[in-house]
Short mmCIF file of all heavy atoms in Angstrom, two decimals:
data_model
loop_
_atom_site.label_atom_id
_atom_site.label_comp_id
_atom_site.label_asym_id
_atom_site.label_seq_id
_atom_site.Cartn_x
_atom_site.Cartn_y
_atom_site.Cartn_z
N VAL A 39 6.47 8.25 17.08
CA VAL A 39 7.40 9.37 17.12
C VAL A 39 6.60 10.60 17.54
O VAL A 39 5.48 10.79 17.06
CB VAL A 39 8.06 9.61 15.75
CG1 VAL A 39 8.81 10.94 15.72
CG2 VAL A 39 9.01 8.47 15.39
N SER A 40 7.18 11.41 18.42
CA SER A 40 6.51 12.64 18.86
C SER A 40 7.45 13.83 18.68
O SER A 40 8.63 13.74 19.04
CB SER A 40 6.11 12.54 20.33
OG SER A 40 5.21 11.48 20.55
N GLU A 41 6.92 14.89 18.14
CA GLU A 41 7.68 16.13 17.99
C GLU A 41 6.74 17.32 18.14
O GLU A 41 5.52 17.17 18.01
CB GLU A 41 8.38 16.19 16.62
CG GLU A 41 9.49 15.17 16.42
CD GLU A 41 10.69 15.40 17.32
OE1 GLU A 41 10.79 16.46 17.96
OE2 GLU A 41 11.55 14.48 17.37
N GLY A 42 7.32 18.47 18.38
CA GLY A 42 6.52 19.66 18.64
C GLY A 42 6.01 20.34 17.38
O GLY A 42 6.54 20.15 16.28
N LEU A 43 4.97 21.11 17.56
CA LEU A 43 4.40 21.89 16.46
C LEU A 43 5.47 22.79 15.84
O LEU A 43 6.26 23.40 16.56
CB LEU A 43 3.25 22.75 17.00
CG LEU A 43 2.40 23.52 16.00
CD1 LEU A 43 1.63 22.57 15.09
CD2 LEU A 43 1.43 24.45 16.75
N ARG A 44 5.50 22.82 14.54
CA ARG A 44 6.45 23.61 13.75
C ARG A 44 7.89 23.09 13.85
O ARG A 44 8.80 23.71 13.30
CB ARG A 44 6.40 25.09 14.12
CG ARG A 44 5.06 25.76 13.75
CD ARG A 44 5.07 27.25 14.07
NE ARG A 44 5.16 27.49 15.51
CZ ARG A 44 4.13 27.47 16.32
NH1 ARG A 44 2.91 27.23 15.86
NH2 ARG A 44 4.28 27.72 17.61
N GLN A 45 8.07 21.95 14.51
CA GLN A 45 9.40 21.36 14.60
C GLN A 45 9.63 20.37 13.45
O GLN A 45 8.84 20.33 12.49
CB GLN A 45 9.57 20.65 15.95
CG GLN A 45 9.48 21.60 17.13
CD GLN A 45 10.49 22.74 17.01
OE1 GLN A 45 11.69 22.53 16.92
NE2 GLN A 45 9.99 23.97 17.01
N ILE A 46 10.72 19.61 13.54
CA ILE A 46 11.08 18.66 12.50
C ILE A 46 10.98 17.24 13.04
O ILE A 46 11.48 16.96 14.14
CB ILE A 46 12.52 18.92 12.00
CG1 ILE A 46 12.64 20.32 11.42
CG2 ILE A 46 12.93 17.87 10.96
CD1 ILE A 46 14.07 20.72 11.08
N ALA A 47 10.34 16.37 12.28
CA ALA A 47 10.26 14.95 12.65
C ALA A 47 10.98 14.13 11.59
O ALA A 47 10.85 14.40 10.38
CB ALA A 47 8.81 14.51 12.75
N THR A 48 11.71 13.13 12.06
CA THR A 48 12.37 12.21 11.14
C THR A 48 11.92 10.79 11.47
O THR A 48 12.11 10.31 12.58
CB THR A 48 13.90 12.31 11.24
OG1 THR A 48 14.31 13.64 10.88
CG2 THR A 48 14.56 11.32 10.29
N LEU A 49 11.31 10.16 10.49
CA LEU A 49 10.84 8.79 10.64
C LEU A 49 11.80 7.86 9.91
O LEU A 49 12.27 8.20 8.83
CB LEU A 49 9.43 8.64 10.05
CG LEU A 49 8.39 9.69 10.46
CD1 LEU A 49 7.05 9.38 9.84
CD2 LEU A 49 8.30 9.82 11.95
N THR A 50 12.06 6.70 10.47
CA THR A 50 13.00 5.78 9.85
C THR A 50 12.34 4.47 9.45
O THR A 50 11.29 4.09 10.00
CB THR A 50 14.19 5.48 10.78
OG1 THR A 50 13.68 4.90 11.99
CG2 THR A 50 14.97 6.74 11.09
N CYS A 51 12.99 3.79 8.52
CA CYS A 51 12.50 2.53 7.99
C CYS A 51 13.72 1.69 7.66
O CYS A 51 14.49 2.05 6.74
CB CYS A 51 11.67 2.81 6.74
SG CYS A 51 11.22 1.37 5.74
N THR A 52 13.91 0.58 8.36
CA THR A 52 15.10 -0.23 8.17
C THR A 52 14.77 -1.56 7.51
O THR A 52 13.85 -2.26 7.93
CB THR A 52 15.79 -0.48 9.51
OG1 THR A 52 16.12 0.78 10.11
CG2 THR A 52 17.06 -1.30 9.33
N GLY A 53 15.53 -1.87 6.48
CA GLY A 53 15.34 -3.12 5.76
C GLY A 53 16.67 -3.84 5.62
O GLY A 53 17.45 -3.89 6.57
N ASN A 54 16.91 -4.38 4.44
CA ASN A 54 18.17 -5.06 4.19
C ASN A 54 18.62 -4.80 2.74
O ASN A 54 18.01 -3.98 2.03
CB ASN A 54 18.03 -6.57 4.47
CG ASN A 54 16.95 -7.24 3.65
OD1 ASN A 54 16.80 -6.95 2.46
ND2 ASN A 54 16.20 -8.13 4.26
N ASN A 55 19.68 -5.51 2.35
CA ASN A 55 20.25 -5.29 1.02
C ASN A 55 19.32 -5.67 -0.11
O ASN A 55 19.54 -5.25 -1.26
CB ASN A 55 21.56 -6.09 0.87
CG ASN A 55 22.66 -5.57 1.75
OD1 ASN A 55 22.68 -4.39 2.08
ND2 ASN A 55 23.57 -6.45 2.14
N ASN A 56 18.30 -6.48 0.20
CA ASN A 56 17.40 -6.95 -0.85
C ASN A 56 16.22 -6.04 -1.08
O ASN A 56 15.48 -6.21 -2.06
CB ASN A 56 16.89 -8.36 -0.52
CG ASN A 56 18.01 -9.38 -0.41
OD1 ASN A 56 18.87 -9.44 -1.29
ND2 ASN A 56 18.03 -10.15 0.66
N ASN A 57 15.97 -5.11 -0.18
CA ASN A 57 14.82 -4.22 -0.35
C ASN A 57 15.25 -2.75 -0.26
O ASN A 57 15.57 -2.15 -1.29
CB ASN A 57 13.69 -4.58 0.61
CG ASN A 57 14.16 -4.86 2.03
OD1 ASN A 57 14.77 -4.02 2.68
ND2 ASN A 57 13.86 -6.06 2.53
N VAL A 58 15.28 -2.19 0.93
CA VAL A 58 15.62 -0.77 1.06
C VAL A 58 17.01 -0.49 0.49
O VAL A 58 17.23 0.50 -0.22
CB VAL A 58 15.56 -0.32 2.52
CG1 VAL A 58 15.99 1.14 2.66
CG2 VAL A 58 14.14 -0.48 3.07
N GLY A 59 17.96 -1.35 0.79
CA GLY A 59 19.32 -1.16 0.32
C GLY A 59 19.48 -1.33 -1.17
O GLY A 59 20.50 -0.92 -1.74
N ASP A 60 18.50 -1.92 -1.80
CA ASP A 60 18.57 -2.19 -3.24
C ASP A 60 17.94 -1.04 -4.04
O ASP A 60 18.62 -0.36 -4.81
CB ASP A 60 17.86 -3.51 -3.54
CG ASP A 60 17.97 -3.90 -5.01
OD1 ASP A 60 18.77 -3.28 -5.73
OD2 ASP A 60 17.26 -4.83 -5.44
N GLN A 61 16.65 -0.81 -3.85
CA GLN A 61 15.94 0.20 -4.64
C GLN A 61 15.28 1.29 -3.80
O GLN A 61 14.51 2.08 -4.32
CB GLN A 61 14.87 -0.47 -5.51
CG GLN A 61 15.44 -1.40 -6.55
CD GLN A 61 14.37 -1.96 -7.48
OE1 GLN A 61 13.23 -1.52 -7.48
NE2 GLN A 61 14.74 -2.95 -8.28
N GLY A 62 15.58 1.33 -2.50
CA GLY A 62 15.00 2.36 -1.66
C GLY A 62 13.60 2.03 -1.18
O GLY A 62 13.06 0.95 -1.46
N ALA A 63 13.01 2.96 -0.45
CA ALA A 63 11.67 2.76 0.10
C ALA A 63 10.77 3.92 -0.25
O ALA A 63 11.19 5.08 -0.27
CB ALA A 63 11.73 2.61 1.62
N ALA A 64 9.52 3.60 -0.51
CA ALA A 64 8.50 4.63 -0.71
C ALA A 64 7.87 4.93 0.64
O ALA A 64 7.90 4.10 1.55
CB ALA A 64 7.45 4.15 -1.70
N TRP A 65 7.28 6.12 0.74
CA TRP A 65 6.62 6.52 1.97
C TRP A 65 5.15 6.85 1.70
O TRP A 65 4.83 7.52 0.72
CB TRP A 65 7.31 7.73 2.59
CG TRP A 65 8.63 7.39 3.19
CD1 TRP A 65 9.86 7.44 2.58
CD2 TRP A 65 8.87 6.92 4.52
NE1 TRP A 65 10.84 7.04 3.45
CE2 TRP A 65 10.26 6.73 4.65
CE3 TRP A 65 8.06 6.67 5.63
CZ2 TRP A 65 10.85 6.28 5.84
CZ3 TRP A 65 8.64 6.23 6.81
CH2 TRP A 65 10.02 6.04 6.91
N LEU A 66 4.32 6.36 2.61
CA LEU A 66 2.89 6.55 2.50
C LEU A 66 2.36 7.17 3.79
O LEU A 66 2.84 6.85 4.88
CB LEU A 66 2.19 5.20 2.26
CG LEU A 66 2.64 4.42 1.02
CD1 LEU A 66 2.39 2.94 1.22
CD2 LEU A 66 1.90 4.93 -0.20
N GLN A 67 1.36 8.02 3.64
CA GLN A 67 0.68 8.62 4.78
C GLN A 67 -0.75 8.11 4.79
O GLN A 67 -1.39 8.05 3.73
CB GLN A 67 0.69 10.14 4.64
CG GLN A 67 -0.03 10.90 5.73
CD GLN A 67 -0.21 12.37 5.36
OE1 GLN A 67 -0.85 12.71 4.37
NE2 GLN A 67 0.36 13.26 6.17
N GLN A 68 -1.24 7.75 5.96
CA GLN A 68 -2.61 7.26 6.04
C GLN A 68 -3.34 7.89 7.21
O GLN A 68 -2.99 7.67 8.37
CB GLN A 68 -2.67 5.74 6.16
CG GLN A 68 -4.10 5.20 6.10
CD GLN A 68 -4.17 3.69 6.23
OE1 GLN A 68 -3.37 3.07 6.90
NE2 GLN A 68 -5.18 3.10 5.57
N HIS A 69 -4.36 8.65 6.89
CA HIS A 69 -5.24 9.18 7.92
C HIS A 69 -6.34 8.16 8.20
O HIS A 69 -6.72 7.38 7.32
CB HIS A 69 -5.86 10.51 7.47
CG HIS A 69 -4.91 11.65 7.55
ND1 HIS A 69 -4.27 12.18 6.45
CD2 HIS A 69 -4.47 12.39 8.60
CE1 HIS A 69 -3.50 13.19 6.82
NE2 HIS A 69 -3.60 13.33 8.13
N GLN A 70 -6.82 8.19 9.41
CA GLN A 70 -7.86 7.25 9.85
C GLN A 70 -9.04 7.28 8.90
O GLN A 70 -9.56 8.35 8.58
CB GLN A 70 -8.30 7.62 11.27
CG GLN A 70 -9.36 6.70 11.84
CD GLN A 70 -8.80 5.36 12.25
OE1 GLN A 70 -7.59 5.23 12.47
NE2 GLN A 70 -9.64 4.36 12.36
N GLY A 71 -9.43 6.10 8.44
CA GLY A 71 -10.60 6.02 7.57
C GLY A 71 -10.35 6.35 6.11
O GLY A 71 -11.30 6.42 5.32
N HIS A 72 -9.10 6.54 5.76
CA HIS A 72 -8.75 6.88 4.38
C HIS A 72 -7.70 5.91 3.84
O HIS A 72 -6.95 5.32 4.61
CB HIS A 72 -8.21 8.31 4.29
CG HIS A 72 -9.25 9.34 4.56
ND1 HIS A 72 -10.03 9.89 3.57
CD2 HIS A 72 -9.66 9.91 5.72
CE1 HIS A 72 -10.86 10.77 4.10
NE2 HIS A 72 -10.66 10.80 5.40
N PRO A 73 -7.62 5.77 2.51
CA PRO A 73 -6.57 4.92 1.94
C PRO A 73 -5.21 5.59 2.09
O PRO A 73 -5.13 6.80 2.29
CB PRO A 73 -6.97 4.79 0.46
CG PRO A 73 -7.79 6.01 0.19
CD PRO A 73 -8.52 6.31 1.46
N PRO A 74 -4.15 4.81 1.99
CA PRO A 74 -2.81 5.41 2.02
C PRO A 74 -2.61 6.39 0.87
O PRO A 74 -3.22 6.26 -0.20
CB PRO A 74 -1.88 4.19 1.87
CG PRO A 74 -2.69 3.04 2.35
CD PRO A 74 -4.09 3.35 1.91
N LYS A 75 -1.73 7.35 1.11
CA LYS A 75 -1.40 8.37 0.12
C LYS A 75 0.10 8.38 -0.06
O LYS A 75 0.86 8.46 0.91
CB LYS A 75 -1.87 9.73 0.61
CG LYS A 75 -1.52 10.91 -0.28
CD LYS A 75 -2.01 12.19 0.39
CE LYS A 75 -1.70 13.42 -0.41
NZ LYS A 75 -2.17 14.65 0.27
N LEU A 76 0.56 8.30 -1.31
CA LEU A 76 2.00 8.26 -1.58
C LEU A 76 2.61 9.64 -1.34
O LEU A 76 2.20 10.63 -1.94
CB LEU A 76 2.24 7.81 -3.01
CG LEU A 76 3.70 7.64 -3.43
CD1 LEU A 76 4.36 6.48 -2.66
CD2 LEU A 76 3.81 7.40 -4.93
#
Side-chain angles (χ1 to χ4, degrees):
Chain A
V39 169
S40 299
E41 293 294 348
L43 187 65
R44 294 183 294 277
Q45 297 304 302
I46 300 172
T48 298
L49 312 182
T50 59
C51 169
T52 302
N54 58 41
N55 292 332
N56 299 312
N57 44 59
V58 177
D60 184 11
Q61 296 185 10
W65 287 92
L66 302 155
Q67 177 191 61
Q68 186 180 32
H69 284 102
Q70 181 74 20
H72 291 270
K75 176 182 180 181
L76 184 66

